[in-house]
Amino acid sequence: MNRRGLAAVASVLDQAASSATNILVLLLAAQLSSAAGFADFSMVYVTFTVLLGLNMAYVGQTTVLEKGERLGAVCRAGLAFTAAASTAAGAVLVLVGLLLPGATGWAFLSLGLVLPLVLLQDGLRYCFSALRVPGRALAADALRLACVVSALLLQPEGASAGRLVLVWGVSALPALALGLWLLRPWVRGAAAGELLRDVRPYLRRGHLGQRFVVEFAVGNGSSQLAVLGLGVFATPLAVGALRGATTLFGPLNVLFNSANSFGPPLVGRASGKRGVVRLTAVMGGTLAVTGAVWGAVLYALPDRIGRDLLLGETWTAASALLPATGVQYAVMGLGTCALLSLRVLNPKSTLSLQVVFSLLSVALLLAGYALWGAAGAAWGLALGSAAKAAAGWLRVARLRVPEPVPATGDPVRAA
């Protein structure tokens, strides 16, 4: 296998390690906590997920688009901005934690204390990707996975959400130290004035990351915030159930993320619109079937296995949502590949689609919860995902793409 192939494999494995970390953290927290404790942990983890996505959109995506000799300076500036922004956000979370009562407040306070560690550690992934050394990201993320699982396994049953959040965050230190050491050859030797100059573009109006933040906010963050809102305005147990059900579909998120990351170069080689659509339709059908089969397997698990090996006390509430979540992930596979087609054929056509149907998904989630509780919320998300997938493929069908011009002379002139 050549160097490019090894880099692609390392990138996929790194994404898998990062996703496995998120999945195992939630599974272990569910097993260690009571249903109420896991609800508190889930609210905090959803908050972290939103902040992680915002940082990824604002800093990470702009970093990986950089090229040329300034990559080291860009990585250094991105990490410096992440450190400053996450410290400010952490201070706000500490204040929120002091204002909220009981275990929920302590959990948010704990997140504020560890937020800079976990966001910096994740930000290193994008630096290594931009520098074309994904193997170093894999090394740091594999260490992160081993440390967090080991640390959580040492915690006693019934540990509070705040304690679990602190342990989860502090366990990022070894991976962060390793990542910074591996990055050192590209970022060392910068003066303070030079660093401030490189950070300044992140604060200017029109920074490219601002567009990516909008796309994240409407495409992912809105639904995450809606789930979090259920815990604030309704019952935290609904958050735990929804979060537990979606956690079980974590392996499919690895497939979806890989399709988004490595799909465009592969699909872009297809011949014309027909070739692109044929390839993405096959990919979408495969992901849809995989989602449906995975959901059926989870739903068929005996309750004893679900409680003892997966979600602990949260299994009872989460398992009732598995049919809806399985349908959601099946149609998400179709929708992911519809958006992949549009990114290759007409990248500007995806933002409006994301805005309209992501907001529709939020509305359906909240309406479903108001009418039928957590199960209604899950079916609302499934219906929203189905609508987005249908609209995406309809836009693909209506899209007019000029056929490639033949390379062998002008046929009219030849005639």
Side-chain angles (χ1 to χ4, degrees), residues 8-9 36 47 71 77 128 130-131 151 160 167 225 243 271 274 293 299-300 336 340 364:
V9 171
T47 303
L71 278 175
F128 290 128
L131 293 166
S160 68
V167 170
L225 288 173
R243 192 65 180 175
S271 176
R274 182 175 299 179
V293 171
Y299 191 66
T336 296
L340 179 58
L364 291 171

Side-chain angles (χ1 to χ4, degrees), residues 114-263:
V114 301
L115 186 66
L117 298 179
V118 291
L119 287 188
L120 271 175
Q121 194 275 321
D122 186 80
L124 289 167
R125 299 172 57 213
Y126 301 98
C127 294
F128 290 128
S129 177
L131 293 166
R132 306 294 191 269
V133 285
R136 300 193 177 208
L138 175 59
D141 285 334
L143 179 61
R144 168 66 170 145
L145 174 60
C147 289
V148 72
V149 170
S150 301
L152 289 176
L153 285 175
L154 293 175
Q155 302 311 302
E157 188 173 351
S160 68
R163 174 172 177 162
L164 294 178
V165 170
L166 273 180
V167 170
W168 159 76
V170 172
S171 67
L173 273 172
L176 175 59
L178 175 62
L180 291 174
W181 181 73
L182 292 173
L183 188 65
R184 185 170 175 268
W186 287 277
V187 300
R188 60 188 173 188
E194 183 181 355
L195 181 59
L196 289 174
R197 183 199 65 198
D198 292 334
V199 170
R200 198 171 295 126
Y202 288 99
L203 306 175
R204 291 175 184 163
R205 185 177 179 182
H207 175 61
L208 184 59
Q210 293 167 9
R211 176 182 175 86
F212 294 147
V213 163
V214 173
E215 292 200 17
F216 167 79
V218 298
N220 190 328
S222 57
S223 60
Q224 295 281 3
L225 288 173
V227 172
L228 182 62
L230 292 180
V232 174
F233 300 109
T235 166
L237 294 177
V239 178
L242 284 168
R243 192 65 180 175
T246 55
T247 296
L248 297 175
F249 286 82
L252 291 183
N253 288 329
V254 176
L255 295 178
F256 294 164
N257 290 334
S258 296
N260 286 324
S261 299
F262 303 105

Side-chain angles (χ1 to χ4, degrees), residues 57 108 211 394:
F108 274 99
R211 176 182 175 86
L394 182 61

